[in-house]
Amino acid sequence: MPLAELNDALEMIYSSVDDDAALSRLAPRLGRMIGAAAGDIVTERPQDDLIVTHSSFGFDPAFLENHDSDFLGENTWFGALRRLPAERFHAVEDKAPMPRDTRYSNGWVRPQHFDQSLGAVLDCAQGQYSWIGFVRESGSPKYGPEDRFLNDLLPHLRRMMRLRRRLFQTDEEKVEAYALLDRLHLPVFLLQQDFKVSAMNEAAERLQSADCFIRLSRDGRLMMEGCQNDLLTRKLRQAGQPHEVSTKPPFESMVIHGKGGKLAVMHFIPLPHRGPSGAEGHIAAVVRPVDCPLTDVTCLLAQAYDLTDTEARLANFIGSGASLCDFAEAAGMAPSTARWHLKNIEQKTGTSRIEQVVALVRNFQSVPA
């Protein structure tokens, strides 16, 4: 390979140390350099049913969709790769032939017409394994000078994965985060400090592909229609503002409406950052579809935060400028009972003062028709 391509590859690799977006582009860009039909970079921890695909390209989506759950811990290709010397890339079928009667071969390799691979183990730590692999379609020329090019890159690829593990206090936390996301039924987007989406679960992928509430821009940012997009930007900035570690930041929320009169509430939850810089971390944007009229603020509040009818009416009441005592009198209850309901509202909405509850409710009351 020309020296210029080697330098380009090294730049891509070290850009991936602390940049998820750069890592997601790494496998396809290296794959193009060596003429691969598909490839990926994966971390797996079979004993905990945890897996994350950092970068992937070329696989049939119909097979890729269920690959993690169907073949977790049963990937005979990777099993063979782990038994080979770790300091170089291997064509696994040549060095340690993959059993052709396995479910992995017949259910994953053969249906996609991939019959030759080139792969290497990148990292092994505490039962957690990371590897990189490329495949060509059956009948394609075998790898030749390409594996020498990859062997030159391998020390740098392995160093990149080790640095990521140290930087993120091992990828264990990230793997668990991805696994947790895919177990959630509500759509969840994880946003970086620049508000680009670094990860989303399956529910979020379905939501943005349907284009009913939200979509992704070309550079990977959340987008909405019209004035909603300006409000989204303001809410993200508010959610990402630094706060005292000892205080619990209130949820930022907004009502969003899509095509056909559909409604949803998006919650913005700041996530703590555990890196060495002390900077603020990611933001989780959680979308909760609701089924009530846009003008029914009490219903919106109840569905968005699991408030009881009394709690939702109280929140809407004080958000309109009335006092807690006014609500107690109108509802025929003691002021102490109203205060008890207010504490429940604060707990469910992530607020800690009545002023924060009022600000949250007014966001719902001011949604454009």
Side-chain angles (χ1 to χ4, degrees):
M1 290 283 182
L3 182 60
E5 288 201 9
L6 180 63
N7 289 335
D8 287 346
L10 290 174
E11 183 177 350
M12 287 189 294
I13 290 169
Y14 285 107
S15 296
S16 302
V17 170
D18 59 354
D19 186 341
D20 290 344
L23 180 59
S24 70
R25 296 189 295 267
L26 183 58
R29 293 182 68 179
L30 288 178
R32 285 195 296 270
M33 288 181 173
I34 65 170
D40 55 14
I41 301 173
V42 176
T43 294
E44 180 177 314
R45 200 169 67 215
Q47 68 271 24
D48 294 329
D49 292 331
L50 297 176
I51 188 168
V52 57
T53 301
H54 305 286
S55 184
S56 178
F57 74 100
F59 292 110
D60 185 333
F63 292 97
L64 188 62
E65 182 178 359
N66 297 317
H67 171 259
D68 292 353
S69 57
D70 286 352
F71 298 105
L72 179 63
E74 298 183 21
N75 185 332
T76 52
W77 176 85
F78 179 59
L81 192 64
R82 285 174 53 194
R83 293 190 292 272
L84 295 168
E87 70 275 1
R88 60 171 286 110
F89 274 80
H90 296 281
V92 176
E93 288 84 351
D94 294 338
K95 301 294 183 181
M98 182 166 46
R100 296 301 174 180
D101 58 351
T102 63
R103 192 168 69 95
Y104 176 78
S105 176
N106 292 317
W108 176 248
V109 177
R110 287 183 175 179
Q112 298 188 96
H113 308 291
F114 294 137
D115 201 28
Q116 56 175 304
S117 67
L118 198 62
V121 175
L122 297 181
D123 195 23
C124 293
Q126 299 175 335
Q128 178 172 296
Y129 311 99
S130 298
W131 72 88
I132 182 171
F134 299 100
V135 292
R136 283 181 174 173
E137 294 180 357
S138 302
S140 299
K142 289 188 176 294
Y143 291 104
E146 298 90 351
D147 61 348
R148 293 192 291 274
F149 171 68
L150 289 177
N151 283 331
D152 288 339
L153 297 179
L154 183 56
H156 304 282
L157 286 164
R158 298 184 70 187
R159 179 168 174 78
M160 179 268 292
M161 292 303 291
R162 287 195 298 268
L163 287 171
R164 284 184 62 87
R165 178 160 51 83
R166 294 170 187 168
L167 180 63
F168 294 112
Q169 298 182 7
T170 81
D171 268 344
E172 177 178 339
E173 294 175 2
K174 181 162 288 190
V175 170
E176 289 173 347
Y178 276 74
L180 175 61
L181 282 181
D182 278 332
R183 289 185 175 93
L184 297 177
H185 296 293
L186 291 178
V188 182
F189 300 86
L190 289 187
L191 310 177
Q192 301 176 118
Q193 287 177 286
D194 58 2
F195 306 144
K196 289 183 180 179
V197 175
S198 62
M200 67 180 84
N201 63 357
E202 292 182 2
E205 289 180 358
R206 290 193 296 270
L207 182 70
Q208 67 91 21
S209 63
D211 194 28
C212 56
F213 292 113
I214 200 164
R215 58 187 172 83
L216 297 186
S217 66
R218 290 183 178 179
D219 61 352
R221 300 175 192 270
L222 289 183
M223 296 286 291
M224 293 182 185
E225 297 298 328
C227 61
Q228 292 187 106
N229 203 58
D230 295 333
L231 179 59
L232 170 65
T233 302
R234 291 199 300 271
K235 290 293 178 181
L236 286 171
R237 285 174 179 163
Q238 290 167 5
Q241 287 177 352
H243 59 274
E244 295 294 331
V245 177
S246 59
T247 63
K248 182 180 179 181
F251 287 167
E252 292 288 344
S253 304
M254 65 177 285
V255 181
I256 57 179
H257 46 99
K259 299 175 181 177
K262 294 181 179 180
L263 293 176
V265 177
M266 179 174 283
H267 303 287
F268 307 98
I269 306 170
L271 303 178
H273 180 76
R274 301 183 181 180
S277 65
E280 289 300 298
H282 284 55
I283 297 172
V286 184
V287 181
R288 182 169 187 166
V290 296
D291 183 20
C292 56
L294 184 63
T295 55
D296 192 343
V297 176
T298 298
C299 176
L300 284 172
L301 290 166
Q303 291 198 29
Y305 295 100
D306 287 328
L307 301 182
T308 66
D309 181 61
T310 300
E311 292 164 355
R313 286 190 291 109
L314 170 57
N316 192 25
F317 201 87
I318 62 176
S320 301
S323 70
L324 197 63
C325 291
D326 291 337
F327 177 81
E329 183 178 350
M333 65 176 62
S336 59
T337 304
R339 283 193 292 271
W340 178 76
H341 284 300
L342 178 61
K343 289 298 181 185
N344 288 339
I345 294 169
E346 291 173 348
Q347 182 179 14
K348 292 179 180 180
T349 59
T351 55
S352 57
R353 300 192 308 275
I354 191 171
E355 294 84 3
Q356 293 176 340
V357 175
V358 170
L360 180 147
V361 173
R362 287 181 177 171
N363 168 54
F364 283 69
Q365 294 172 339
S366 62
V367 177

